[in-house]
Structure formats: structure tokens, C-alpha cells
Amino acid sequence: MSLVIDGRPPAFASPLHVGHPWTGSRARFDGIVDRVFREARFTNDGPCVREFESAIAALHGTKHCIALTNGTLAIQIALKTLKAEGEVIMPSFTFVGTAHAAAWIGLRPVFCDIDPATFTMDPEDLLRKITPATSCILPVNVFGNVCDFGRIAEIARPRGLRTLYDSAHCTGCAAHGVPVGGQGDLQILSFHATKTLHTFEGGAILTNDDALADTARLLRNYGFTGHERVACVGINAKMHEISAAYGLACLPDLSFIAERQRRNALAYEHGLRDVPGIAVQTPPEGVDSTRHVAVLLVDEAMFGLSRDAMLELLWAENIRARRYFAPGCHRLKPYADTHRGALPVTERLAETILCLPNDASLDAGSIAAVCEIIAEAGRRADEVRMAFGPAAHEAPVPALTR
Ligand code: T4K
């Protein structure tokens, strides 16, 4: 089989993105938007937002859902709701938005290591990171791989620490038959365009606690308790009606989207099962993830090619794979100077992980072609390395443009 290094055009005429948004609910969306315009109710706790919140709470088995502008603001409102102060312990292996959300409101992110199988917070390292300044634990259910909820609760409760789960990747996910959503004090979701269920931009807080839900609702709308009454310092973090309208339009398609993503992930597993040095990460036993990205681990010694050389080849083939979440938050400029201690599992993962496109519009033929390119890259590792490896560059890690 030929590769782009043989001089043929890229395998895909247009880019295959990690995070290609679901566009399939347009007709239903148009109908809801007509209603929004007829009623001229665009924001401030409108009927679409209320209906969307009820549906999301029901889907995740929680009493409350508070819809918000995006997942990052959801983390901030949640941390404010929990009265977090001082240090917040979170994994370094997460989107930088998790760390920024805390730092932006004056908290200090403290990074801990992760479990090598699930890439989620390692409870034993969490224990080592707790200090008298710790107020809150912020575990991340990354890629829909859920945390060890029981162990984290065992650590948090006796120490009086609050727990906020970042479940940005978990809309529609479940663990052992229980929807992800009701664990900890609060959870957040993201409905960013790249997520399984999206509202263009959007986020939410989930909780079973009435008082926390009331506080979060106050905080997202300036602390207003009436037209001229303000109970506390708040902010504008409200979801608007057009976002909620798209969320409502997509909800009937969620099972289809999730099934397609799961089916695609299985197709990657099948297509790459015999490629030495390539492993597809699978959700832990009993976890029903929607697998919105396909996660590969590249063992350079066995595969013959570094993760980064393969990434360059894939981009040249118009397969826009991503290194989520390399290099880890603790290595990023705003945090690197103050971070202390080794995070060996995070470091290793950041060097080997590669996320492949997986969205509901991807067809079996495209997945087979991606797998075949990866297999061929391994077979012709020397040639690919010559074209894309460190020998071809001064800098070993290429700066990929969007
Ligand atoms: N916690 C975690 C664990 C998270 O992963 C995130 C967000 C958050 C918290 C914060 O939630 P939000 O505040 O975002 O609601 C993307 C997303 O912007 C971000 O939502 C997401 N995680 C993160 C993992 O990925 P980028 O900068 O990597 O995205 P970008 O613009 O490169 O998009 C990825 C690819 O998707 C593009 O190359 C092309 C394609 N794409 C993207 C968009 C937006 C499209 O085809 N159409 C589109 O509209 O951050």
C-alpha cells in the first residue's frame, strides 16, 4: 500500500478532525429556533434552557442540572458554590481549562498523577498531595473513563474536603449501570461543539443537593433573588436559548451518536489489533463510555516509529490526530514554575498518547483506511522516520498548525 511519502495525494481530500461536531439535528433545531423567535425569549432562564436542564438531569439521574455558558465557567461556578479556597487537587492529565478555571478565580491547582489504565486521578497520589491548604478535590472522568468514585469519597469525607468531578467528556456515560452525574458534591459537563452532545458552546452543573443547586443558580445570574435584590456577588454564566435549542434538537439523537462512536471505537480496536506497538485504550470493566475520541498508545520501541513521527504522517494524510493532553498541565508555562514532584504516569502517557477522530459521521471505510495507514507506517517505519522523524527536523516535536 502507498503512503503520502510516496508522492501520492493525501488519503483524505478534506481533513478528518478529532472533534468534528454533530450536525445531524438541523431540521429539528430550525423548528425550535422558530419558536424562540416567535416568543422573543432569547436568554435569562428561558423555556428551552429549562426544558434542556430537565432532560439532562433525567439523563444523568440527578435532581438538578444548572445549564451554563461553557464547561470552564461551570467549573468556576461549581468551585465558588463549594466555597473552595487555597489548593485544589486535580490530575495534570486534563484539558488546561480545568486548571485555568481554578487559577482564574485565585485558587492554586495542585497536580497529582493518574492511574495507568484509566488515566484518571490516582487516589494514592491524591492522598500524598493533601495539605492543610487543600479545600477541594477535582478529579476528571477523562475520555469517559470514570474515576474510582468510592475510594475518592473515602479520602474526601473524613477530611471535610469537597469533591467536584470534571465530567466534561461524560454526557450519556454510565458506570456499572449508574449514569455518571450524581457522584461527589457537584459534577460539571461540557456541551462544547466537539463533544458527544453539544450546544455549540455550553456546560452544566449536576447535583443532588438542593442548597448547592440554589447557590449555583444564584451565582450564574449575578446573585439576583428578585429584580432589585442581590444576595451575593455573582456573574453572568447563563446558557442562552439558541444553545439550549440545539441541545434539545440533538437529545433524541444521543443514543444513535453514542452507538456510532462505540461502534467506531470497536472498529479501530479490530483494525489495529495486529499492529505491534499500537494499543487502543478501552474503558474499564463495567463503564459504558460514549468514546468521543479513539485513544491510541504508541510504544515506539515495538512500533518502530515515534508517536510524533506518526502524528506528522497522519496530518500529511489529512487525518488530524491530536496529542490530548500532552504535555500535561504541570508542564505548561503558567504552572511549570510552581509545580513540585514527579508525575511519572502522566509523563509517560503524554509521550505515547494519540487521539484519533471518532464521531458519528465517520464511516467504516474511513476507519479502515486510517488503520491501514497506521499499520503500513509501522511496516515502513524507517522510510516514515526519514520523512517525518527527528532526522527530518531540528525540533523533535513539530508545531502543527490547525
Ligand atoms: N474539562 C475537560 C476535561 C475538557 O476536555 C474541557 C474542554 C473542559 C473542561 C472545558 O469545557 P469547555 O469550556 O470547552 O466547554 C477543544 C475544546 O475547545 C474543548 O471544549 C475540549 N475540552 C478540548 C479537549 O478540546 P481545542 O483547542 O483542542 O479544540 P479545537 O478548536 O482544536 O477543535 C478540535 C478540532 O475539532 C478542530 O481541529 C476542528 C474540529 N472542530 C472544532 C470546532 C470547535 C470542528 O470541526 N468544528 C468546530 O466547530 O479544545
Side-chain angles (χ1 to χ4, degrees), residues 298-377:
V298 183
D299 179 332
E300 181 176 353
M302 277 175 77
F303 185 55
L305 203 57
S306 72
R307 182 272 314 266
D308 292 330
M310 186 160 82
L311 178 69
E312 275 212 68
L313 171 75
L314 293 175
W315 273 59
E317 297 282 17
N318 241 339
I319 304 159
R320 304 286 176 89
R322 298 290 293 263
R323 290 176 290 215
Y324 289 126
F325 291 103
C329 294
H330 71 295
R331 291 225 172 236
L332 297 173
K333 190 163 176 272
Y335 306 108
D337 286 348
T338 49
H339 173 75
R340 297 282 170 270
L343 302 176
V345 183
T346 302
E347 297 277 354
R348 169 90 190 122
L349 187 61
E351 282 169 13
T352 53
I353 197 159
L354 194 62
C355 295
L356 295 178
N358 185 12
D359 60 83
S361 66
L362 208 57
D363 59 70
S366 300
I367 294 174
V370 174
C371 293
E372 195 40 50
I373 287 168
I374 293 172
E376 186 68 1

Side-chain angles (χ1 to χ4, degrees), residues 48-129:
C48 289
V49 164
R50 286 190 170 216
E51 193 182 333
F52 184 62
E53 288 179 336
S54 301
I56 293 296
L59 181 69
H60 295 90
T62 58
K63 263 174 96 176
H64 304 282
C65 166
I66 299 102
L68 298 158
T69 317
N70 57 53
T72 307
L73 270 166
I75 296 172
Q76 294 188 320
I77 298 282
L79 289 169
K80 288 274 186 192
T81 299
L82 295 174
K83 299 188 169 52
E85 51 187 29
E87 297 176 355
V88 177
I89 303 177
M90 63 185 73
S92 167
F93 187 76
T94 182
F95 185 56
V96 70
T98 313
H100 282 353
W104 189 264
I105 56 172
L107 301 169
R108 180 164 174 254
V110 171
F111 300 112
C112 75
D113 215 350
I114 47 173
D115 174 89
T118 64
F119 313 157
T120 62
M121 181 176 267
D122 170 3
E124 303 321 308
D125 198 41
L126 162 65
L127 266 175
R128 288 190 282 274
K129 298 285 156 55

Side-chain angles (χ1 to χ4, degrees), residues 18-25 52 56 59-60 141-145 167-174 189-200 202 246-262 264 288-294 358-361:
V18 176
H20 176 74
W22 173 249
T23 56
S25 311
F52 184 62
I56 293 296
L59 181 69
H60 295 90
N141 292 316
V142 70
F143 306 139
N145 296 326
S167 296
H169 303 170
C170 289
T171 301
C173 295
L189 302 174
S190 165
F191 305 119
H192 185 263
T194 52
K195 300 294 188 289
T196 298
L197 178 83
H198 78 89
T199 61
F200 310 137
Y246 196 64
L248 287 172
C250 291
L251 268 167
D253 297 327
L254 180 59
S255 316
F256 169 81
I257 298 168
E259 260 332 295
R260 287 290 281 266
Q261 291 177 179
R262 289 188 189 110
N264 291 346
D288 202 6
S289 165
T290 56
R291 305 188 76 172
H292 76 293
V293 289
N358 185 12
D359 60 83
S361 66

